[in-house]
Amino acid sequence: MESDLLLARRAALAGATVGMRYFVALAQLPQQLKPDGSVVTAADRAVEAAIREVLAAARPGDAVLGEEEGQTGHGGRRWIVDPIDGTALFVAGDDRWLVLVALEEAGEIVVGVAAVPAQGRIWWAQRGDGAFEADISGSSLTNERRIAVDRDSPDDLPGSRLSVIPTDPELSQAEREFVAPLGAVTLAVPWSTHAALLVARGQLDLVVQTRGQVWDYAATSLIVEEAGGCFGGLDGQVRPTPGPALFARSAALHASALRILNPGGDRPTTT
């Protein structure tokens, strides 16, 4: 039987193929606003449908939680899907959007895949087996390589490379003020692909994601952890939960940044 990791990669690539069809024809893509003000398109729904079809055929007894369709099924195994992470980027023609697929077993993320279709790259991890990156060539992968965080730099906040998600135009004033104390002692770095993946690759030290849901974090959190890094919510939760979160290349750096971002230990409000 196909392994969970191979299935997750296949599902993500199926979604990526559908997403690219819409991405190359953006002018004809209608957009709607969700109740929370975020953008949703037919592409989001079509990508999720493609991923669900692959998962249902291979693992019909598993639950699936998707951003667009909610949860179907129940049990100890749950696939978590964000069909287009970064829809605002997608509709703007920005190539940094992702397709995210993860598997949760007994409350723990055990497989995570993050495809960046418009850049032709894919990242993945399986708990205990490390993190990897490859190039996408059609439905195949090439140039597979293992990735790891930067382990050579000192765990000092001054000079650490920091990125913030979402991009600056999407940040609210409250979110800018929330990140500002950490930004004052670190080096701001723009991100060319999802910043958490750059932590996993060793190109960034810290990433603050000011908002997100379980599906935003499930895959990327595992990839960073398996690359040797650290992930957690600002309330101390180490598993993906709604709200702001922090990725870091080391536990020490994560703890130092967390003390600045959330000195009182209470869950911050950034929106």
Side-chain angles (χ1 to χ4, degrees):
M1 185 174 67
E2 182 180 30
S3 72
D4 290 328
L5 174 59
L6 291 179
L7 174 58
R9 288 198 329 210
R10 182 162 64 88
L13 289 173
T17 298
V18 173
M20 284 301 295
R21 292 177 191 153
Y22 284 91
F23 190 64
V24 299
L26 281 175
Q28 290 78 46
L29 183 62
Q31 303 174 26
Q32 297 176 328
L33 290 179
K34 296 181 182 180
D36 64 2
S38 61
V39 178
V40 64
T41 71
D44 297 82
R45 300 185 182 99
V47 171
E48 183 167 321
I51 293 171
R52 283 178 174 272
E53 182 178 0
V54 171
L55 297 175
R59 304 286 193 274
D62 290 355
V64 180
L65 171 65
E67 179 178 8
E68 306 308 328
E69 300 298 327
Q71 181 158 328
T72 56
H74 54 84
R77 288 171 49 94
R78 180 173 72 162
W79 296 90
I80 302 174
V81 177
D82 191 345
I84 297 181
D85 182 68
T87 302
L89 298 172
F90 181 92
V91 300
D94 190 310
D95 67 4
R96 291 176 289 178
W97 56 278
L98 303 93
V99 176
L100 301 175
V101 178
L103 174 62
E104 178 187 63
E105 285 191 293
E108 181 177 60
I109 305 299
V110 296
V111 169
V113 177
V116 188
Q119 296 183 3
R121 290 199 293 273
I122 186 169
W123 283 257
W124 69 88
Q126 182 167 275
R127 188 163 295 281
D129 289 340
F132 297 83
E133 177 186 357
D135 300 327
I136 300 172
S137 179
S139 59
S140 302
L141 304 182
T142 61
N143 194 25
E144 179 179 326
R145 57 266 189 200
R146 188 165 188 151
I147 57 173
V149 299
D150 176 6
R151 296 186 175 93
D152 297 326
S153 299
D155 289 331
D156 300 325
L157 284 178
S160 292
R161 300 160 294 179
L162 169 71
S163 286
V164 179
I165 301 172
T167 56
D168 188 69
E170 297 179 72
L171 290 172
S172 68
Q173 183 60 33
E175 288 171 329
R176 290 190 180 93
E177 293 173 356
F178 161 61
V179 176
L182 183 59
V185 295
T186 56
L187 177 64
V189 177
W191 44 280
S192 57
T193 195
H194 193 287
L197 301 175
L198 298 182
V199 171
R201 192 198 268 173
Q203 293 178 282
L204 282 174
D205 302 306
L206 290 163
V207 173
V208 177
Q209 191 159 341
T210 63
R211 66 186 96 117
Q213 299 294 326
V214 172
W215 46 76
D216 294 296
Y217 299 129
T220 53
S221 63
L222 181 63
I223 293 169
V224 169
E225 288 172 351
E226 285 297 314
C230 186
F231 166 83
L234 270 67
D235 58 354
Q237 175 60 255
V238 297
R239 293 182 178 178
T241 56
L246 178 66
F247 300 85
R249 62 172 174 78
S250 71
L253 205 56
H254 189 280
S256 296
L258 191 60
R259 284 193 291 270
I260 290 180
L261 290 170
N262 196 22
D266 298 321
R267 192 182 199 95
T269 301
T270 60
T271 56

